[in-house]
Short mmCIF file of all heavy atoms in Angstrom, two decimals:
data_model
loop_
_atom_site.label_atom_id
_atom_site.label_comp_id
_atom_site.label_asym_id
_atom_site.label_seq_id
_atom_site.Cartn_x
_atom_site.Cartn_y
_atom_site.Cartn_z
N MET T 250 56.61 33.14 57.75
CA MET T 250 58.04 33.08 57.43
C MET T 250 58.86 33.89 58.43
O MET T 250 59.95 33.46 58.85
CB MET T 250 58.28 33.59 56.02
CG MET T 250 57.68 32.74 54.93
SD MET T 250 57.94 33.47 53.30
CE MET T 250 57.12 32.27 52.28
N LEU T 335 62.26 43.22 51.46
CA LEU T 335 62.55 42.42 50.27
C LEU T 335 61.26 41.87 49.68
O LEU T 335 61.08 41.85 48.45
CB LEU T 335 63.50 41.28 50.61
CG LEU T 335 63.83 40.30 49.48
CD1 LEU T 335 64.49 41.03 48.31
CD2 LEU T 335 64.73 39.17 49.98
N TYR T 336 60.35 41.44 50.53
CA TYR T 336 59.04 40.97 50.06
C TYR T 336 58.30 42.09 49.32
O TYR T 336 57.78 41.88 48.21
CB TYR T 336 58.22 40.48 51.25
CG TYR T 336 56.77 40.24 50.93
CD1 TYR T 336 56.34 39.05 50.38
CD2 TYR T 336 55.81 41.24 51.19
CE1 TYR T 336 55.00 38.83 50.08
CE2 TYR T 336 54.48 41.03 50.89
CZ TYR T 336 54.08 39.84 50.34
OH TYR T 336 52.75 39.64 50.05
N THR T 339 60.07 42.90 45.89
CA THR T 339 59.83 41.88 44.87
C THR T 339 58.38 41.88 44.42
O THR T 339 58.10 41.67 43.23
CB THR T 339 60.22 40.50 45.41
OG1 THR T 339 61.54 40.55 45.97
CG2 THR T 339 60.18 39.45 44.32
N ASN T 344 55.32 39.83 41.46
CA ASN T 344 54.01 39.58 42.05
C ASN T 344 54.18 38.92 43.41
O ASN T 344 55.29 38.75 43.92
CB ASN T 344 53.13 38.73 41.14
CG ASN T 344 53.59 37.29 41.07
OD1 ASN T 344 54.71 36.95 41.45
ND2 ASN T 344 52.73 36.43 40.58
N VAL T 345 53.06 38.55 44.01
CA VAL T 345 53.08 38.02 45.37
C VAL T 345 53.83 36.70 45.45
O VAL T 345 54.57 36.44 46.40
CB VAL T 345 51.64 37.86 45.89
CG1 VAL T 345 51.63 37.25 47.29
CG2 VAL T 345 50.93 39.20 45.92
N ARG T 346 53.65 35.85 44.45
CA ARG T 346 54.32 34.55 44.48
C ARG T 346 55.83 34.71 44.47
O ARG T 346 56.53 34.07 45.26
CB ARG T 346 53.88 33.72 43.28
CG ARG T 346 52.51 33.08 43.42
CD ARG T 346 52.20 32.21 42.23
NE ARG T 346 53.18 31.16 42.07
CZ ARG T 346 53.22 30.33 41.04
NH1 ARG T 346 52.34 30.44 40.07
NH2 ARG T 346 54.13 29.39 40.97
N ALA T 347 56.34 35.56 43.58
CA ALA T 347 57.78 35.78 43.54
C ALA T 347 58.25 36.44 44.83
O ALA T 347 59.35 36.14 45.32
CB ALA T 347 58.14 36.65 42.33
N ALA T 348 57.44 37.33 45.39
CA ALA T 348 57.81 38.00 46.64
C ALA T 348 57.92 37.00 47.79
O ALA T 348 58.85 37.06 48.60
CB ALA T 348 56.80 39.09 46.97
N LEU T 349 56.97 36.06 47.84
CA LEU T 349 57.04 35.05 48.90
C LEU T 349 58.25 34.14 48.71
O LEU T 349 58.88 33.72 49.68
CB LEU T 349 55.75 34.23 48.90
CG LEU T 349 54.50 34.95 49.38
CD1 LEU T 349 53.27 34.07 49.22
CD2 LEU T 349 54.65 35.37 50.83
N GLY T 350 58.57 33.82 47.46
CA GLY T 350 59.76 33.01 47.21
C GLY T 350 61.03 33.71 47.63
O GLY T 350 61.92 33.11 48.25
N ALA T 351 61.14 35.01 47.33
CA ALA T 351 62.33 35.77 47.73
C ALA T 351 62.45 35.84 49.24
O ALA T 351 63.53 35.63 49.81
CB ALA T 351 62.27 37.17 47.12
N ALA T 352 61.33 36.16 49.91
CA ALA T 352 61.36 36.26 51.37
C ALA T 352 61.65 34.91 52.02
O ALA T 352 62.37 34.83 53.02
CB ALA T 352 60.03 36.82 51.87
N ALA T 353 61.08 33.84 51.43
CA ALA T 353 61.29 32.51 52.01
C ALA T 353 62.76 32.11 51.97
O ALA T 353 63.31 31.61 52.96
CB ALA T 353 60.44 31.49 51.26
N LEU T 354 63.41 32.32 50.84
CA LEU T 354 64.81 31.91 50.72
C LEU T 354 65.73 32.81 51.55
O LEU T 354 66.64 32.33 52.23
CB LEU T 354 65.23 31.94 49.25
CG LEU T 354 64.52 30.93 48.34
CD1 LEU T 354 64.99 31.09 46.90
CD2 LEU T 354 64.76 29.51 48.81
N PHE T 355 65.48 34.12 51.50
CA PHE T 355 66.37 35.04 52.22
C PHE T 355 66.24 34.88 53.73
O PHE T 355 67.21 35.07 54.47
CB PHE T 355 66.05 36.48 51.82
CG PHE T 355 66.92 37.50 52.48
CD1 PHE T 355 68.22 37.72 52.03
CD2 PHE T 355 66.46 38.25 53.55
CE1 PHE T 355 69.04 38.66 52.64
CE2 PHE T 355 67.27 39.20 54.17
CZ PHE T 355 68.56 39.40 53.70
N SER T 356 65.07 34.50 54.20
CA SER T 356 64.84 34.44 55.65
C SER T 356 65.54 33.27 56.32
O SER T 356 65.66 33.26 57.56
CB SER T 356 63.34 34.36 55.93
OG SER T 356 62.79 33.17 55.42
N MET T 492 70.49 29.79 47.03
CA MET T 492 69.74 31.00 46.67
C MET T 492 70.32 31.64 45.41
O MET T 492 69.58 32.18 44.58
CB MET T 492 69.75 31.99 47.82
CG MET T 492 68.86 33.20 47.61
SD MET T 492 68.70 34.20 49.10
CE MET T 492 67.62 35.51 48.48
N GLY T 564 67.68 38.63 45.75
CA GLY T 564 66.43 38.05 46.24
C GLY T 564 65.28 38.10 45.25
O GLY T 564 64.58 37.09 45.05
N PRO T 565 64.99 39.25 44.58
CA PRO T 565 63.87 39.25 43.63
C PRO T 565 64.01 38.23 42.51
O PRO T 565 63.04 37.56 42.15
CB PRO T 565 63.89 40.69 43.09
CG PRO T 565 64.51 41.50 44.18
CD PRO T 565 65.53 40.60 44.80
N ALA T 567 65.77 35.48 42.70
CA ALA T 567 65.64 34.16 43.32
C ALA T 567 64.17 33.82 43.55
O ALA T 567 63.75 32.68 43.34
CB ALA T 567 66.41 34.12 44.63
N GLY T 568 63.38 34.81 43.99
CA GLY T 568 61.95 34.57 44.15
C GLY T 568 61.27 34.27 42.84
O GLY T 568 60.39 33.41 42.76
N LEU T 569 61.67 34.97 41.76
CA LEU T 569 61.13 34.69 40.44
C LEU T 569 61.52 33.29 39.98
O LEU T 569 60.71 32.57 39.38
CB LEU T 569 61.64 35.74 39.45
CG LEU T 569 61.13 35.61 38.02
CD1 LEU T 569 59.62 35.74 37.96
CD2 LEU T 569 61.79 36.65 37.13
N MET T 571 62.11 30.73 41.91
CA MET T 571 61.32 29.77 42.68
C MET T 571 59.89 29.70 42.14
O MET T 571 59.29 28.61 42.07
CB MET T 571 61.32 30.16 44.15
CG MET T 571 60.71 29.13 45.08
SD MET T 571 60.93 29.60 46.81
CE MET T 571 60.22 28.17 47.62
N SER T 572 59.33 30.85 41.75
CA SER T 572 57.99 30.88 41.18
C SER T 572 57.94 30.12 39.85
O SER T 572 57.00 29.36 39.60
CB SER T 572 57.54 32.33 40.96
OG SER T 572 56.28 32.38 40.35
N LEU T 588 63.26 23.14 47.60
CA LEU T 588 64.27 24.19 47.60
C LEU T 588 64.27 24.96 48.91
O LEU T 588 65.33 25.26 49.47
CB LEU T 588 64.02 25.15 46.42
CG LEU T 588 64.95 26.36 46.32
CD1 LEU T 588 66.39 25.92 46.16
CD2 LEU T 588 64.52 27.25 45.16
N TYR T 589 63.09 25.27 49.41
CA TYR T 589 63.00 26.01 50.68
C TYR T 589 63.54 25.19 51.84
O TYR T 589 64.29 25.70 52.69
CB TYR T 589 61.55 26.39 50.93
CG TYR T 589 61.31 27.02 52.28
CD1 TYR T 589 61.73 28.31 52.57
CD2 TYR T 589 60.66 26.31 53.29
CE1 TYR T 589 61.51 28.88 53.81
CE2 TYR T 589 60.43 26.87 54.53
CZ TYR T 589 60.86 28.16 54.79
OH TYR T 589 60.65 28.71 56.03
#
Side-chain angles (χ1 to χ4, degrees):
M250 294 177 181
L335 176 60
Y336 168 85
T339 309
N344 72 344
V345 177
R346 282 184 59 186
L349 290 175
L354 295 178
F355 181 78
S356 64
M492 187 171 179
L569 181 61
M571 189 173 184
S572 177
L588 177 60
Y589 173 73

